[in-house]
Amino acid sequence: MFQQSRKEMLIVAIDGPAAAGKSTVARAVAARLGLTYVDTGAMYRALTLKALQRAVDPEDGATLARLASETLIEFRPSANPSGSQQVWLDGQDVTREIRASEVDLAVSAVSKHGPVREQFVQAQRRMASAGGVVMEGRDVGTVVLPEANVKVYLDASLEARVQRRFVEQVGRGARPAMDALAQDLARRDAQDSGRKVAPLSVAPGAVRVDTTHRTLEQVLDEVTRLCLERKGTV
Ligand code: DC
């Protein structure tokens, strides 16, 4: 019982570039340790989808901030036992739609606006306020939860990330072109790392884990070990 309540307090931040494996690792570590998984990128993707549906310019920060304030984004457990989640936008399941290539293209522009980020950061802090979360994104260890007990910066070479994104999209029934995937990832890396507000960077105290030449199981074991080591200090 005591152990359980300690575990529930644990706050784990996982950041890194697109397609480094953050979602897979964060979801699996959360399932292993009985923690709640939060995918912050899904929130920026859901707002981007809504902006595209309403023809809002991804450069128009003021309109996007207003749109964010009128938007309800929810995570709901999916029926599938893998710990995966559904993403709901204003009462609609948009789990699939937020992974569309149109959203990939516009999401970095939408997420660079400070007034949008402020609202999402507040919501993300509320989700973590009771502890017991694994939260993944770009600025979780630097801005959202700088007091996290465990901070991981998950990285991989561009080639490895392109390859993984390719396999993932083929698994979803898409037929992506490798060149286009590589261009999209390189463009998003540059935009997410180069923006003025909360750019992607390695948080102070973060452990850098390069997944290029490692299996998922090896990465999971390392991140789980880091969490279990810190659990004793929470
Ligand atoms: O993790 P992802 O690829 O689903 O994230 C989509 C985009 O959202 C990413 O290119 C940048 C933005 N994002 C962000 O700015 N801050 C976060 N904490 C998470 C994602």
Side-chain angles (χ1 to χ4, degrees), residues 56-197:
V56 173
D57 181 356
E59 297 297 326
D60 182 353
T63 303
L64 288 166
R66 201 168 53 248
L67 202 62
S69 71
E70 298 162 354
T71 296
L72 177 65
I73 299 169
E74 298 165 278
F75 294 109
R76 301 189 187 178
S78 91
N80 155 348
S82 68
S84 64
Q85 287 173 336
Q86 294 178 344
V87 182
W88 286 62
L89 171 65
D90 296 329
Q92 301 265 337
D93 180 0
V94 293
T95 312
R96 275 183 77 85
E97 288 86 338
I98 62 168
R99 306 287 158 194
S101 56
E102 294 79 12
V103 174
D104 283 342
L105 282 172
V107 67
S108 285
V110 168
S111 61
K112 73 182 176 191
H113 302 289
V116 168
R117 303 196 68 83
E118 280 161 26
Q119 298 178 52
F120 282 177
V121 167
Q122 274 187 24
Q124 290 154 7
R125 287 185 181 145
R126 277 198 298 276
M127 288 183 227
S129 59
V133 293
V134 181
M135 189 176 284
E136 57 117 334
R138 301 292 187 289
D139 61 342
V140 181
T142 50
V143 174
V144 183
L145 305 171
E147 76 290 5
N149 311 103
V150 182
K151 295 184 196 177
V152 174
Y153 187 89
L154 216 59
D155 210 349
S157 70
L158 181 62
E159 293 71 28
R161 291 187 287 125
V162 170
Q163 184 62 35
R164 287 178 199 159
R165 192 45 57 93
F166 180 81
V167 171
E168 185 189 302
Q169 294 206 355
V170 168
R172 269 197 226 124
R175 305 176 101 214
M178 282 278 193
D179 293 2
L181 283 182
Q183 272 172 23
D184 174 58
L185 288 185
R187 185 187 48 79
R188 278 210 284 146
D189 285 355
Q191 288 190 9
D192 297 343
S193 310
R195 69 184 175 214
K196 288 201 187 77
V197 188

Side-chain angles (χ1 to χ4, degrees), residues 115 182 220 228:
L220 284 182
L228 292 174

